[in-house]
Amino acid sequence: MSMIVLQDIIYILLLIGLSIPLGIYIYKVMSGEKVFLTRIFAPVENGIYKIMGVKSNEEMGAKKYALSALAFSGVGLFFVWLLQLLQGILPFNPARIQSASWHLAFNTAASFVSNTNWQAYSGENGLSCLTQFLGLTVQNFVSAATGIAVLFALIRGFVFRKKTTIGNFWTDLTKITLYVLIPISFVLALVLVSQGVVQTFSPYKEVTMLESGAAQTIPLGPAASQIAIKQLGTNGGGFFGANSAFPLENATPLSNLLECLSLLLIPCALCVSFGKAVKDSKQGKSIYITMMILFVVALGITTISEQYTGPAFDGVVASGSMEGKEVIHGVGASSLWATATTAASNGSVNSMHDSFTPLGGMIPMFLMQLGEIVFGGVGSGLYGMLAFVLLTVFIAGLMVGRTPEYLGKKVEPYDMKMVCLIILTPLMFTLLGTAAAVSMPDITSWLTNSGAHGFSEILYAFSSMGNNNGSAFAGFTANTVFTNVVGGIIMLLVRFIPMVAAISLAGNMAKKKSVAVSEGTLSTTNTMFVGLLIGVILIVGALSFLPALALGPIADYFTMR
Amino acid sequence: MTKTMKILRPAVMCFLAMTVVCGIIYTAAVTGIAQLLFPNQANGSIITITLKDGTQKDYGSALIAQKFTGAQYMIGRPMGTTNLSPVSKEQKKLVQERIDWLHSLDPDNTADIPMDLVTKSGSGVDPNITPEAAEYQVARIARERGMNEDDVRAIISKYTTGRFLGIFGEPAVNVLKVNLALDGLL
């Protein structure tokens, strides 16, 4: 256990240490300052603007910004859907994979466009190489970039005074992709290959097994390039079915460390960028601290549960629960990943969450249900958290009878409506989806486990899709018409309703004049505020999900022995 | 119509540009450099062995487990995945079957079995076992092969990897490499 604690502490220190310079770098990129990559990428950037026919300095209002984001995602949705329907007759298909069914293709397209990466298909058996790199890898980049773009639109809303615009979606998207996502992914992908993560267009390799002499097929593909952005962009969709538990996707303790760091790196860095952008680093710091506190508590509970509440078998050495975990990761690195991947809306896994102990599996589920705001998705996590900040400011304002304000902007009824849309949409669809699924007549045949754990499989699935996470209790049979269609629609709604609400909020905030800070202004940077914010987040999450959790993991825990 | 086109045209063009940059150029660049710098790893860490007659044979990937059942071989983790709750009755039954099988392979060994030998991994093809699980099997392998136990241990330790920087991950023994070495192939 002491090794696990040490590993966790050093992981967190590395994460914080890397996030600060990266956050400053992202701020510079987004505010148009020159960075060391400007020389290389500026011509490409300008070329892309030319192709698009947009002027990089043209500012957009909220409506145009939102429509652009929606149109761009819509084009992506259609393309990825079509690509899967046609993959059987298209090139770069060494494993001769068939075209996908319409509903599975829709689910997968919705999943990757919404930065969820829920996978109802099985990685290496469901999609051709072409679909993976031309469809999914691209969405891994651009869905992440879309989230970050919207975050910066919202930040501009707080910063701008009496303006009708909030930036330009196309330049935001292009800058993030070119200057942030591609360079880091490129370096990460190559380091991963050095560890044994595959990167090739060769067909699957046939080998002869040592003892039996029988043939074994080693699945290959351009995996590392996709895995790098899958981790960095809080996407999470594995190249292979077993995701980063699969050794050819995550080969060594070093590759695991790097993949696990890149899970949270950009969401952490964005807290720093936020502080820089609003010219008050303390604002970013208080949000960063809030997220980190929730993360550390969650990590502690998951790890302790996996280490100490696992099963005991006669004649077997008592140790942490190892079902569904790889030897090189053990309980420590598996629990760390499970917590990080659900705190961020990543959803990649290096162990099977379905085989976690009841409470060890509940924490990842609850982190998703909180709305993916403990770091959360790149961009979307922070704009979700800012909605909670506004809610907290609003509640505190009601208590003292003052008009609430945040960053010098008054928070008014329209703003609170948008905040409610951001906060309530995911949790509503999570519960509705779960309820619809349990009322399906043949639901039990979709489950691997029975009883309370079976219900947990359903609740986890819709918590995952309903919050754009993408991880699964993989015993749940996801590839059914019902889950594909309903889940696909839910993933789109919970991604784009809050996104449009955040952009509208930005537009409304940008129009306002700034009010001077007075003695009566609630500080949003002190310890008390962090405590209030944590309280509001936990109350909203607990009120919404405690009944469902009681029927799933909590019942599972109390009935286990 | 023109208003729609004003939004849609950049959306389509931007999407195409991003597909070329992120889908094609990025993927091709990573593949090219990876193949140049790390050809073995990029292609699946295949273990190719030149046999005595000069022919080459691919014995598997160092990262993908193979099933071993003979008492003279080091046994790896059970293959496949279950997604079962670790505290379920179904799991208990399966684990008991695995315990019984390991006991039938080596009836004299009454030591407690390390957890990883009776549980399935997440990938279903975990190529490693813990050093404890390897040590548990040393006496049996040595006896079956007429080898010295310390020689078996030497092979195991040769194919054991530690934590990264002594901190991250867990020590592990690569089952396929040990068995190839036991057979004198590696």
Side-chain angles (χ1 to χ4, degrees):
Chain A
M1 191 69 188
S2 58
M3 277 313 290
I4 296 177
V5 174
L6 180 69
Q7 170 173 264
D8 289 344
I9 290 173
I10 299 193
Y11 169 84
I12 290 169
L13 292 178
L14 278 172
L15 183 64
I16 295 172
L18 290 168
S19 69
I20 294 172
L22 180 62
I24 295 170
Y25 171 80
I26 294 176
Y27 163 70
K28 281 186 180 166
V29 167
M30 294 310 288
S31 53
E33 283 180 41
K34 281 205 168 65
V35 291
F36 71 105
L37 289 168
T38 308
R39 264 186 153 176
I40 308 166
F41 283 125
V44 185
E45 188 188 345
N46 292 325
I48 292 175
Y49 298 150
K50 218 170 250 171
I51 294 169
M52 284 190 274
V54 299
K55 294 193 194 82
S56 61
N57 54 1
E58 188 192 72
E59 292 268 307
M60 293 178 176
K63 194 177 167 196
K64 189 166 182 196
Y65 201 102
L67 284 174
S68 300
L70 289 177
F72 180 69
S73 302
V75 172
L77 181 73
F78 181 70
F79 181 79
V80 178
W81 180 68
L82 205 64
L83 201 55
Q84 293 172 79
L85 294 183
L86 299 176
Q87 65 181 2
I89 53 170
L90 290 173
F92 289 103
N93 186 5
R96 304 209 161 279
I97 285 157
Q98 299 286 308
S99 295
S101 67
W102 66 269
H103 51 87
L104 178 59
F106 165 68
N107 185 281
T108 306
S111 169
F112 278 76
V113 168
S114 63
N115 197 252
T116 312
N117 297 29
W118 169 264
Q119 295 169 291
Y121 66 94
S122 174
E124 65 273 30
N125 305 319
L127 296 181
S128 75
C129 252
L130 183 78
T131 309
Q132 297 253 29
F133 74 81
L134 203 62
L136 303 193
T137 302
V138 177
Q139 285 305 321
N140 273 302
F141 278 100
V142 297
S143 68
T146 305
I148 301 175
V150 172
L151 170 68
F152 275 89
L154 179 57
I155 293 174
R156 288 186 201 112
F158 289 119
V159 177
F160 287 177
R161 312 266 182 256
K162 293 190 187 173
K163 277 185 81 167
T164 52
T165 57
I166 49 168
N168 182 310
F169 176 71
W170 305 116
T171 56
D172 286 350
L173 182 90
T174 310
K175 279 183 195 292
I176 295 155
T177 309
L178 286 183
Y179 293 97
V180 181
L181 299 178
I182 286 189
I184 310 177
S185 300
F186 188 76
V187 175
L188 179 62
L190 288 176
V191 182
L192 291 180
V193 176
S194 79
Q195 296 302 299
V197 179
V198 294
Q199 181 73 24
T200 173
F201 285 99
S202 309
Y204 292 2
K205 181 91 183 163
E206 287 277 319
V207 296
T208 315
M209 289 197 278
L210 177 61
E211 186 183 17
S212 64
Q216 185 186 34
T217 306
I218 308 295
L220 301 172
S225 55
Q226 189 174 321
I227 291 158
I229 184 61
K230 147 203 150 190
Q231 295 302 98
L232 285 164
T234 58
N235 294 285
F239 192 90
F240 299 105
N243 211 298
S244 280
F246 200 68
L248 295 175
E249 184 154 340
N250 181 11
T252 65
L254 173 58
S255 72
N256 188 70
L257 170 66
L258 294 173
E259 289 184 21
C260 203
L261 277 172
S262 38
L263 267 176
L264 290 179
L265 182 59
I266 295 180
C268 285
L270 288 173
C271 294
V272 179
S273 312
F274 169 71
K276 279 266 159 201
V278 299
K279 306 274 180 282
D280 185 355
S281 296
K282 281 185 197 157
Q283 301 289 351
K285 201 170 146 193
S286 66
I287 289 177
Y288 201 157
I289 290 170
T290 303
M291 292 175 169
M292 194 54 92
I293 290 172
L294 288 166
F295 175 73
V296 169
V297 171
L299 175 62
I301 300 174
T302 308
T303 308
I304 289 168
S305 183
E306 290 309 296
Q307 184 68 19
Y308 296 115
T309 71
F313 304 109
D314 292 338
V316 177
V317 181
S319 67
S321 178
M322 280 303 286
E323 182 71 21
K325 296 187 181 72
E326 308 301 298
V327 165
I328 53 167
H329 309 321
V331 165
S334 298
S335 304
L336 176 60
W337 186 300
T339 312
T341 196
T342 48
S345 82
N346 191 296
S348 62
V349 296
N350 75 349
S351 58
M352 292 300 125
H353 294 185
D354 209 349
S355 294
F356 270 36
T357 57
L359 297 184
M362 180 179 80
I363 294 299
M365 199 174 338
F366 192 56
L367 280 170
M368 295 189 293
Q369 290 163 346
L370 289 180
E372 290 301 8
I373 44 131
V374 182
F375 301 117
V378 288
S380 61
L382 189 47
Y383 67 65
M385 181 55 108
L386 287 171
F388 271 100
V389 169
L390 290 179
L391 180 63
T392 307
V393 168
F394 179 76
I395 290 172
L398 288 183
M399 287 181 197
V400 294
R402 251 184 78 96
T403 309
E405 56 199 63
Y406 181 58
L407 303 175
K409 293 291 177 86
K410 280 190 175 159
V411 181
E412 289 162 315
Y414 179 85
D415 308 310
M416 288 315 295
K417 282 179 197 162
M418 295 303 116
V419 164
C420 288
L421 276 178
I422 297 173
I423 293 174
L424 295 181
T425 306
L427 60 88
M428 188 176 81
F429 282 105
T430 299
L431 290 172
L432 283 176
T434 308
V438 287
S439 40
M440 293 300 284
D442 43 2
I443 180 71
T444 48
S445 67
W446 301 350
L447 307 175
T448 295
N449 288 280
S450 53
H453 198 82
F455 178 71
S456 294
E457 288 183 345
I458 306 169
L459 182 61
Y460 195 101
F462 284 91
S463 300
S464 176
M465 289 188 277
N467 291 281
N468 294 134
N469 181 277
S471 65
F473 271 14
F476 181 76
T477 307
N479 187 12
T480 57
V481 181
F482 169 82
T483 309
N484 281 340
V485 174
V486 173
I489 293 170
I490 287 179
M491 287 187 278
L492 292 175
L493 292 177
V494 300
R495 171 72 168 177
F496 292 107
I497 292 175
M499 183 182 281
V500 171
I503 298 171
S504 309
L505 180 63
N508 198 48
M509 284 288 175
K511 284 180 202 150
K512 296 181 192 193
K513 63 177 199 290
S514 186
V515 291
V517 175
S518 71
E519 265 187 17
T521 308
L522 176 79
S523 164
T524 49
T525 54
N526 59 14
T527 317
M528 189 187 75
F529 184 77
V530 169
L532 266 178
L533 181 56
I534 291 176
V536 168
I537 291 166
L538 290 179
I539 286 169
V540 171
L543 284 179
S544 310
F545 290 103
L546 214 51
L549 290 171
L551 294 174
I554 295 173
D556 198 11
Y557 176 75
F558 283 113
T559 54
M560 73 183 181
R561 284 168 220 283
Chain B
M1 189 61 202
T2 51
K3 221 177 170 186
T4 318
M5 281 313 292
K6 258 192 175 156
I7 298 283
L8 212 56
R9 181 172 173 267
V12 172
M13 297 317 285
C14 179
F15 179 76
L16 292 178
M18 288 299 165
T19 302
V20 171
V21 173
C22 308
I24 298 170
I25 298 176
Y26 163 76
T27 308
V30 174
T31 311
I33 298 175
Q35 289 290 336
L36 201 68
L37 295 180
F38 314 107
N40 180 257
Q41 293 96 315
N43 293 303
S45 305
I46 303 294
I47 303 176
T48 307
I49 289 167
T50 311
L51 301 175
K52 280 184 192 119
D53 60 3
T55 55
Q56 292 207 321
K57 195 166 175 185
D58 295 331
Y59 271 107
S61 163
L63 294 171
I64 300 291
Q66 296 181 7
K67 189 167 183 163
F68 289 98
T69 52
Q72 76 277 24
Y73 282 114
M74 175 175 280
I75 306 294
R77 301 185 69 184
M79 304 282 286
T81 54
T82 63
N83 277 311
L84 282 174
S85 163
V87 294
S88 62
K89 282 191 210 108
E90 295 90 334
Q91 171 72 354
K92 194 168 188 180
K93 190 164 154 270
L94 287 172
V95 169
Q96 191 57 50
E97 285 169 13
R98 294 171 198 146
I99 295 171
D100 294 343
W101 183 78
L102 285 168
H103 282 158
S104 72
L105 202 65
D106 188 7
D108 302 339
N109 193 345
T110 52
D112 280 354
I113 303 170
M115 186 67 95
D116 54 308
L117 277 184
V118 294
T119 49
K120 290 193 172 182
S121 64
S123 64
V125 289
D126 192 344
N128 301 301
I129 56 175
T130 58
E132 295 76 26
E135 177 59 33
Y136 172 81
Q137 306 185 53
V138 166
R140 185 196 76 229
I141 295 167
R143 189 177 64 236
E144 293 288 328
R145 290 180 177 261
M147 285 171 77
N148 189 324
E149 283 191 17
D150 282 337
D151 293 342
V152 176
R153 281 194 189 96
I155 290 176
I156 290 172
S157 103
K158 190 172 171 193
Y159 297 107
T160 302
T161 47
R163 295 184 169 98
F164 175 63
L165 300 179
I167 297 167
F168 295 100
E170 302 292 336
V173 181
N174 189 296
V175 175
L176 177 61
K177 285 184 180 170
V178 166
N179 283 332
L180 283 167
L182 285 170
D183 276 2
L185 289 164
L186 200 66

